[in-house]
Coordinates of all heavy atoms in Angstrom, one line a residue:
M1 N 0.8 -1.2 0.0 CA 0.0 0.0 0.0 C 0.9 1.3 0.0 O 0.6 2.2 -0.7 CB -0.9 0.0 1.2 CG -2.0 -1.1 1.2 SD -3.0 -1.1 2.7 CE -3.7 0.5 2.7
A2 N 1.9 1.2 0.8 CA 2.8 2.4 0.8 C 3.5 2.6 -0.5 O 3.7 3.8 -1.0 CB 3.9 2.2 1.9
Y3 N 3.9 1.6 -1.2 CA 4.5 1.7 -2.5 C 3.5 2.2 -3.6 O 3.9 3.0 -4.5 CB 5.1 0.4 -3.0 CG 5.7 0.4 -4.3 CD1 7.0 0.9 -4.5 CD2 5.1 0.1 -5.5 CE1 7.6 1.0 -5.7 CE2 5.6 0.2 -6.7 CZ 6.9 0.6 -6.8 OH 7.5 0.7 -8.1
S4 N 2.3 1.7 -3.5 CA 1.3 2.0 -4.5 C 0.9 3.5 -4.5 O 0.4 4.0 -5.6 CB 0.0 1.2 -4.3 OG 0.3 -0.2 -4.4
I5 N 1.0 4.2 -3.4 CA 0.6 5.6 -3.3 C 1.6 6.4 -4.1 O 2.8 6.4 -3.8 CB 0.5 6.1 -1.9 CG1 -0.6 5.3 -1.1 CG2 0.2 7.6 -1.8 CD1 -0.7 5.6 0.3
R6 N 1.2 7.2 -5.0 CA 2.0 8.1 -5.8 C 3.0 7.4 -6.7 O 4.0 8.0 -7.2 CB 2.8 9.1 -4.9 CG 1.9 10.0 -4.1 CD 1.1 11.0 -4.9 NE 1.9 12.0 -5.5 CZ 2.3 13.1 -5.0 NH1 1.9 13.4 -3.7 NH2 3.0 14.0 -5.6
N7 N 2.8 6.1 -6.9 CA 3.7 5.3 -7.8 C 2.8 4.6 -8.8 O 1.7 4.1 -8.5 CB 4.5 4.3 -7.1 CG 5.8 5.0 -6.5 OD1 6.5 5.7 -7.1 ND2 6.0 4.7 -5.2
K8 N 3.3 4.4 -10.1 CA 2.6 3.6 -11.1 C 3.2 2.2 -11.0 O 4.4 2.0 -11.1 CB 2.9 4.2 -12.5 CG 2.3 5.6 -12.7 CD 2.6 6.1 -14.1 CE 2.1 7.5 -14.3 NZ 2.4 8.0 -15.7
C9 N 2.3 1.3 -10.7 CA 2.7 -0.1 -10.6 C 1.6 -1.0 -11.1 O 0.4 -0.7 -11.1 CB 3.2 -0.5 -9.2 SG 2.0 -0.2 -7.9
S10 N 2.0 -2.3 -11.4 CA 1.0 -3.2 -11.9 C 0.4 -4.0 -10.7 O 1.0 -4.0 -9.6 CB 1.7 -4.2 -12.9 OG 2.6 -5.0 -12.2
R11 N -0.7 -4.6 -11.0 CA -1.3 -5.4 -9.9 C -0.5 -6.6 -9.5 O -0.4 -7.0 -8.4 CB -2.7 -5.9 -10.4 CG -3.5 -6.7 -9.4 CD -4.9 -7.0 -9.8 NE -4.9 -7.8 -11.0 CZ -6.0 -8.3 -11.6 NH1 -7.2 -7.9 -11.2 NH2 -5.9 -9.0 -12.7
S12 N 0.2 -7.2 -10.5 CA 1.1 -8.3 -10.2 C 2.2 -7.9 -9.3 O 2.6 -8.7 -8.4 CB 1.7 -8.9 -11.5 OG 2.5 -8.0 -12.2
F13 N 2.8 -6.7 -9.5 CA 3.9 -6.3 -8.6 C 3.4 -6.0 -7.2 O 4.0 -6.4 -6.2 CB 4.5 -5.0 -9.2 CG 5.7 -4.6 -8.3 CD1 6.9 -5.3 -8.3 CD2 5.6 -3.4 -7.6 CE1 8.0 -4.9 -7.6 CE2 6.7 -3.0 -6.9 CZ 7.9 -3.7 -6.8
T14 N 2.2 -5.4 -7.0 CA 1.7 -5.2 -5.7 C 1.4 -6.5 -5.0 O 1.6 -6.6 -3.8 CB 0.4 -4.3 -5.7 OG1 -0.5 -4.9 -6.6 CG2 0.8 -2.9 -6.2
T15 N 0.8 -7.5 -5.7 CA 0.6 -8.8 -5.2 C 1.9 -9.5 -4.7 O 1.9 -10.1 -3.7 CB -0.2 -9.7 -6.2 OG1 -1.4 -9.0 -6.6 CG2 -0.5 -11.0 -5.6
T16 N 2.9 -9.3 -5.5 CA 4.2 -9.8 -5.2 C 4.7 -9.3 -3.8 O 5.2 -10.0 -3.0 CB 5.3 -9.5 -6.3 OG1 4.8 -10.2 -7.5 CG2 6.6 -10.1 -5.9
L17 N 4.6 -8.0 -3.6 CA 5.0 -7.4 -2.4 C 4.3 -7.9 -1.2 O 4.8 -8.0 -0.1 CB 4.9 -5.8 -2.5 CG 5.8 -5.1 -3.4 CD1 5.6 -3.6 -3.4 CD2 7.3 -5.4 -3.1
I18 N 3.0 -8.2 -1.4 CA 2.2 -8.8 -0.3 C 2.6 -10.2 0.0 O 2.7 -10.6 1.2 CB 0.7 -8.7 -0.7 CG1 0.2 -7.2 -0.8 CG2 -0.2 -9.4 0.4 CD1 -1.2 -7.1 -1.3
M19 N 2.8 -11.0 -1.0 CA 3.0 -12.4 -0.8 C 4.5 -12.8 -0.4 O 4.8 -13.8 0.2 CB 2.6 -13.2 -2.0 CG 1.2 -13.0 -2.4 SD 0.0 -13.6 -1.1 CE 0.5 -15.3 -0.9
L20 N 5.4 -11.9 -0.9 CA 6.9 -12.3 -0.7 C 7.3 -12.5 0.7 O 8.0 -13.4 1.0 CB 7.7 -11.2 -1.4 CG 9.2 -11.5 -1.6 CD1 9.4 -12.8 -2.3 CD2 9.9 -10.4 -2.3
P21 N 6.9 -11.6 1.7 CA 7.3 -11.8 3.0 C 6.9 -13.2 3.6 O 7.7 -13.9 4.3 CB 6.7 -10.7 3.8 CG 6.5 -9.6 2.8 CD 6.2 -10.3 1.5
T22 N 5.7 -13.6 3.2 CA 5.2 -14.9 3.7 C 6.0 -16.1 3.1 O 6.3 -17.0 3.8 CB 3.7 -15.1 3.3 OG1 3.0 -13.9 3.8 CG2 3.1 -16.3 4.0
I23 N 6.3 -16.0 1.8 CA 7.1 -17.0 1.2 C 8.5 -17.1 1.8 O 9.0 -18.2 2.1 CB 7.2 -16.8 -0.3 CG1 5.8 -16.8 -0.9 CG2 8.1 -17.8 -1.0 CD1 5.7 -16.4 -2.4
V24 N 9.2 -16.0 2.0 CA 10.5 -16.0 2.6 C 10.4 -16.5 4.0 O 11.3 -17.2 4.4 CB 11.1 -14.6 2.5 CG1 12.4 -14.5 3.2 CG2 11.3 -14.1 1.1
E25 N 9.4 -16.1 4.7 CA 9.2 -16.5 6.1 C 9.1 -18.0 6.2 O 9.8 -18.7 7.0 CB 8.0 -15.9 6.7 CG 7.5 -16.5 8.0 CD 6.1 -17.2 7.8 OE1 5.2 -16.6 7.2 OE2 6.0 -18.4 8.2
L26 N 8.4 -18.7 5.3 CA 8.2 -20.1 5.3 C 9.5 -20.8 5.0 O 9.9 -21.8 5.6 CB 7.1 -20.5 4.3 CG 6.9 -22.0 4.1 CD1 6.4 -22.6 5.5 CD2 5.9 -22.3 3.0
V27 N 10.3 -20.3 4.0 CA 11.6 -20.8 3.7 C 12.5 -20.8 4.9 O 13.2 -21.8 5.2 CB 12.2 -20.1 2.4 CG1 13.6 -20.6 2.2 CG2 11.3 -20.4 1.2
I28 N 12.6 -19.6 5.5 CA 13.5 -19.5 6.7 C 13.1 -20.4 7.8 O 14.0 -21.0 8.4 CB 13.5 -18.0 7.1 CG1 14.0 -17.1 6.1 CG2 14.3 -17.9 8.4 CD1 15.4 -17.4 5.6
I29 N 11.8 -20.6 8.1 CA 11.4 -21.5 9.1 C 11.8 -22.9 8.8 O 12.3 -23.7 9.7 CB 9.9 -21.4 9.3 CG1 9.5 -20.1 10.1 CG2 9.4 -22.6 10.1 CD1 8.1 -20.0 10.3
L30 N 11.7 -23.3 7.5 CA 12.0 -24.7 7.2 C 13.5 -25.0 7.2 O 13.9 -26.2 7.4 CB 11.4 -25.0 5.8 CG 9.9 -25.0 5.7 CD1 9.4 -25.3 4.2 CD2 9.3 -26.0 6.6
V31 N 14.3 -24.0 6.9 CA 15.8 -24.3 6.9 C 16.5 -23.8 8.1 O 17.7 -23.9 8.2 CB 16.4 -23.6 5.6 CG1 15.8 -24.0 4.3 CG2 16.4 -22.0 5.8
N32 N 15.7 -23.4 9.1 CA 16.3 -22.9 10.3 C 17.1 -24.0 11.0 O 16.6 -25.0 11.4 CB 15.2 -22.4 11.3 CG 15.8 -21.6 12.4 OD1 17.0 -21.2 12.5 ND2 14.9 -21.3 13.4
G33 N 18.4 -23.7 11.2 CA 19.3 -24.7 11.8 C 19.9 -25.7 10.9 O 20.8 -26.5 11.3
N34 N 19.5 -25.7 9.6 CA 20.0 -26.7 8.7 C 20.9 -26.0 7.7 O 20.4 -25.3 6.7 CB 18.8 -27.4 7.9 CG 19.3 -28.6 7.1 OD1 20.4 -28.6 6.6 ND2 18.4 -29.6 7.1
I35 N 22.2 -26.1 7.8 CA 23.1 -25.3 7.0 C 23.1 -25.8 5.5 O 23.0 -25.0 4.6 CB 24.5 -25.4 7.5 CG1 24.6 -24.9 8.9 CG2 25.5 -24.7 6.6 CD1 26.0 -25.0 9.6
G36 N 23.0 -27.1 5.3 CA 22.9 -27.6 4.0 C 21.7 -27.1 3.2 O 21.8 -26.7 2.1
A37 N 20.5 -27.2 3.9 CA 19.3 -26.7 3.2 C 19.4 -25.2 3.0 O 18.9 -24.7 1.9 CB 18.1 -27.0 4.1

C-alpha cells in the first residue's frame, strides 16, 4: 500500500510485495538450523 501511493505499478507487482514476506518466512522457518538446506 505504501508503494502504490504516488507510484505507477502493476497489480502483479503489488501482489508480489504482499506475498513475498510470507514465502520468505516459510523458507526461513523450514531451513532454520539446517546449513545444507
Side-chain angles (χ1 to χ4, degrees):
M1 292 176 61
Y3 178 84
S4 300
I5 299 175
R6 302 293 293 273
N7 279 314
K8 296 178 181 179
C9 57
S10 66
R11 184 173 62 179
S12 63
F13 183 68
T14 55
T15 303
T16 298
L17 291 180
I18 296 173
M19 301 301 298
L20 189 57
T22 307
I23 297 172
V24 175
E25 164 249 310
L26 178 61
V27 172
I28 296 302
I29 284 182
L30 294 179
V31 303
N32 192 10
N34 191 326
I35 298 177

